[in-house]
Amino acid sequence: MAEDIVRVENLKAYYQMNYFGVRREVRAVDGITMTVRKGEVYGIAGESSSGKTSFIKVLAAAIRPPLRVVEGSVKFDFKNGPIDVATATPKQIEAVRWKHLSYIMQGSMSVLNPVRRIGKTFHDFASRPMGLTGKAFEDRVIAHLARLKLPADVLKAYPHELSGGMRQRVTIGLATVCHPEFIIADEPTTALDVVVQKEVLSLIRDIQKEMNAAVVFVTHDMSVHANVADRVGIIYAGRLVEEGPTRDMFFAPKHPYTAHLVASLPRIGDVKQRPALEGRPPNLADPPQGCRFHPRCPLAVDKCRQEVPPMEQVGPDHRTACWRWQDVKPLVGASAPSGVMA
Amino acid sequence: MTTLLDVRDVSKRFTMGGIFGRKTVDAVMDANFSLSAENPEIFTIIGESGSGKTTLARMILGLEDPSEGEILFRGKRVSRHGGRAEKLAFMSQVQPVFQNPFEAFNPLKKIERYLESTARRFLQTRDKAVIDRAMDEALQKVGLSLKEVRGRFPHEMSGGQLQRCAIARALIPNPPLLIADEPVSMVDASLRMSIVNLLKSLRDDLKVSVIYITHDLATAYYISNRLIIMQRGRIVEMGDARTVLDNPQHPYSKLLKASVLSTDDAGDGKLATDPGMVKAAGDLVGQAGKLVARPDGREVRVYG
Ligand SMILES: Nc1ncnc2c1ncn2[C@@H]1O[C@H](COP(=O)(O)OP(=O)(O)OP(=O)(O)O)[C@@H](O)[C@H]1O
Ligand SMILES: Nc1ncnc2c1ncn2[C@@H]1O[C@H](COP(=O)(O)OP(=O)(O)O)[C@@H](O)[C@H]1O
Ligand code: SF4
Ligand SMILES: [Mg+2]
Ligand SMILES: [Mg+2]
């Protein structure tokens, strides 16, 4: 088995704010422990506002107030040495940014400065880490863009002049041009058409294989994970609730929430609704006691309302945090409500 | 039948100085369709990224003028120009719903502020009781209430609730037409269904027509009456949603359906698309062709 490239240990990161004198704390990441191995694609799934982006910001060492790491560590093992990005100084982070650790943020427009030509943005980000300037730098960038099927002319364009798919390929180009060891991508294909989505996904996979980089891939879209990830982790209300090899997560989930996520995917041809989860995601400023999923869980028992279920090993590479994991039945392909979600 | 919306031979050309020297982009070419006033429907637009969907929506909203052709709403020409009162009257009839509920709302502003300012604008009143009633009515239509929403900040609501609030805001002036540009692309599968069901009930119970722009073929199949498929500025197929999606005819429509990711072989890392299909669709880009009616009622663009 490949070595770990990052070990996340009991990570807690909260948004701590002051609204007109009232202190608020949103516990967006609340005790996540996981590892990512060299050369693997690790998919992170979960519903909106479950804490995916917040977790990924810490992993990517892009922590800005009001978000603060309050506990835990994120230890990378890079070629240029180990680093804990939860406690590293800006200078130490600067030394690994782009060359070892790169981050494709949610919304491709946000990394691309609207009033700066693409070529300038490449220069800003990559020239220094690559140790190249002038013609040598430009040639390398153009060769890299060509692999992404982008013409050299995009370097002269402004972001709004490119289509959504082109912009997304440009951001992937930015994130990969320095051949980093670890790539983090937050919803990189959301809002692309399905043809381009597939193209962009296979591009990410190809580049990842070629460079033997590790990729952490975040999206709420389970069908993307099904086709890209080696392993999938599910976040619910700021916590990792299940993690396992992609196949097992889809065909033998061991957490009721995962079973629901997998079964709720609408398919072409559906003329009636799939079983939906009742209730709403918990408020992270005041999360429920015990298992955070209990108010919506069809299997919940008294114990769930009081005690937090620990992460338990339930198979090779497969962990889950549920008191009743042995009673969880897969619901894949269920056209009528059945099993645990009945 | 009386028409609610009539899109007639509409084209939009952008000129830009940048990428390949001076260049024009034909964002929309020769779009034609109309919506009836009596039979509210969900009219879906699917298509390539950059195929002109948002541009078409912006023209219907009067935010952008067509370069050619015209758009009529209840027989009156839609235009970016015109007086304030006239514009306000038009905007109360055609309302947009934006894509990302988390970005549409400022995290530091209470949600009711958005609803309030829309209500004040369209009702032209400062009477608190009237405004509150309008807000509550709109929220009730989407399964919420002013009581639930009052005092809350965006992060205190779920994505589904926020998107419902965004739709409620659009419903305040009681518009007969909503333009929803990718209202569900940022939300997970179960939220997606609840939003889509809401659009369905707006059509069925409140007789609101919806232009639904999406990349999600499954929800399009589930709620649309008719749909159009766009490729590089052109409508390539148009017709009854289920007829088209069950058995797409145009090469691009076929490619689109074949590219939908499946979970049946989860974990196998299969991402290849049949290169023949990709080529067949790509080869048609740039060719005008023309839309031809088929016996099953759909129209398909044919060439040569
Ligand atoms: N203001 C503008 N100036 C120049 N070109 C533009 C402008 N707005 C849009 N375009 C171009 O028009 C074409 C259509 O863009 P549009 O935003 O309508 O696509 P879309 O179908 O909504 O795509 P997506 O699925 O990515 O949202 C694209 O080539 C785009 O680059
Ligand atoms: N800048 C911010 N300030 C305060 N709270 C925030 C901020 N960004 C996100 N949150 C809150 O943190 C939680 C997790 O959000 P996020 O990580 O963006 O979720 P996801 O990416 O899974 O949709 C949510 O409750 C959200 O409202
Ligand atoms: S611990 Fe209890 S409430 Fe939580 S997921 Fe398992 S059964 Fe449901
Ligand atoms: Mg996010
Ligand atoms: Mg668009």
Side-chain angles (χ1 to χ4, degrees), chain A residues 13 35 41 43 55 103 124 155 161 177 205 244 261 264 278 281 283 300 330 335:
Chain A
T35 61
V41 179
F55 175 52
Y103 176 29
D124 298 347
L155 291 173
E161 295 175 336
V177 68
R205 265 230 94 124
L261 272 188
S264 66
E278 294 296 317
N283 175 2
S335 51

Side-chain angles (χ1 to χ4, degrees), chain B residues 97-102 104-105 142 144 158-168 181-185 187 195 198:
Chain B
V97 176
F98 297 109
Q99 178 175 7
N100 185 349
F102 292 93
F105 295 94
V142 301
L144 291 167
S158 74
Q161 287 174 314
L162 274 184
Q163 195 60 300
R164 279 163 192 272
C165 290
I167 295 172
D181 191 353
E182 299 193 42
V184 297
S185 74
V187 303
I195 303 297
L198 171 60

Side-chain angles (χ1 to χ4, degrees), chain B:
Chain B
M1 95 173 188
T2 46
T3 53
L4 183 67
L5 180 76
D6 202 359
V7 174
R8 288 191 189 161
D9 306 320
V10 164
S11 299
K12 178 70 186 180
R13 167 171 285 190
F14 290 107
T15 309
M16 31 187 229
I19 171 157
F20 311 118
R22 222 170 173 50
K23 203 190 140 187
T24 58
V25 179
D26 289 304
V28 176
M29 287 176 269
D30 239 351
N32 271 299
F33 63 87
S34 61
L35 303 185
S36 130
E38 288 93 14
N39 304 310
E41 68 174 314
I42 296 180
F43 186 85
T44 296
I45 308 180
I46 298 188
E48 256 187 320
S49 302
S51 62
K53 304 180 296 295
T54 299
T55 306
L56 192 53
R58 289 176 55 82
M59 290 191 284
I60 296 170
L61 284 163
L63 300 170
E64 205 77 78
D65 282 331
S67 315
E68 278 166 61
E70 60 179 0
I71 296 175
L72 303 176
F73 183 81
R74 291 203 161 131
K76 269 183 84 176
R77 191 175 180 143
V78 176
S79 165
R80 209 150 61 89
H81 308 283
R84 242 181 78 97
E86 202 181 333
K87 265 188 144 165
L88 195 66
F90 170 73
M91 282 168 64
S92 70
Q93 305 273 300
V94 186
Q95 278 283 316
V97 176
F98 297 109
Q99 178 175 7
N100 185 349
F102 292 93
E103 275 168 16
F105 295 94
N106 176 340
L108 297 176
K109 243 169 101 175
K110 286 187 189 144
I111 292 159
E112 75 228 37
R113 298 274 225 83
Y114 290 88
L115 298 160
E116 248 167 45
S117 62
T118 302
R120 207 175 304 131
R121 183 149 173 234
F122 287 109
L123 275 51
Q124 310 235 340
T125 174
R126 296 191 167 271
D127 184 334
K128 198 117 186 49
V130 175
I131 289 173
D132 279 3
R133 189 161 356 101
M135 291 200 289
D136 192 49
E137 268 171 29
L139 287 165
Q140 299 278 356
K141 288 177 188 166
V142 301
L144 291 167
S145 66
L146 186 55
K147 217 174 116 213
E148 282 172 81
V149 170
R150 179 147 270 169
R152 291 170 91 171
F153 289 94
H155 73 271
E156 295 173 323
M157 307 208 84
S158 74
Q161 287 174 314
L162 274 184
Q163 195 60 300
R164 279 163 192 272
C165 290
I167 295 172
R169 193 210 55 78
L171 291 175
I172 286 176
N174 285 316
L177 180 60
L178 280 188
I179 316 263
D181 191 353
E182 299 193 42
V184 297
S185 74
M186 301 304 287
V187 303
D188 55 274
S190 58
L191 278 187
R192 205 183 301 169
M193 286 317 282
S194 79
I195 303 297
V196 155
N197 280 321
L198 171 60
L199 296 180
K200 203 169 151 194
S201 77
L202 291 178
R203 173 194 64 193
D204 298 340
D205 306 335
L206 300 176
K207 310 290 173 217
V208 176
S209 289
V210 181
I211 293 184
Y212 173 54
I213 301 179
T214 188
H215 289 304
D216 180 21
L217 274 61
T219 54
Y221 189 95
Y222 175 68
I223 57 163
S224 322
N225 301 86
R226 285 186 297 158
L227 61 74
I228 58 180
I229 296 180
M230 292 185 69
Q231 180 190 26
R232 222 62 65 85
R234 289 198 173 89
I235 297 174
V236 295
E237 193 160 347
M238 163 152 95
D240 172 73
R242 289 175 189 173
T243 308
V244 171
L245 289 177
D246 277 332
N247 180 19
Q249 295 289 308
H250 188 276
Y252 179 71
S253 322
K254 289 182 185 168
L255 174 64
L256 204 58
K257 187 172 174 189
S259 300
V260 173
L261 295 172
S262 144
T263 55
D264 295 342
D265 42 14
D268 296 351
K270 280 198 201 122
L271 281 169
T273 310
D274 174 6
M277 281 182 100
V278 178
K279 188 169 174 347
D283 285 349
L284 300 172
V285 168
Q287 293 188 48
K290 64 172 196 288
L291 281 172
V292 169
R294 291 285 164 87
D296 59 13
R298 79 176 97 192
E299 289 177 49
V300 182
R301 190 166 291 276
V302 296
Y303 306 83

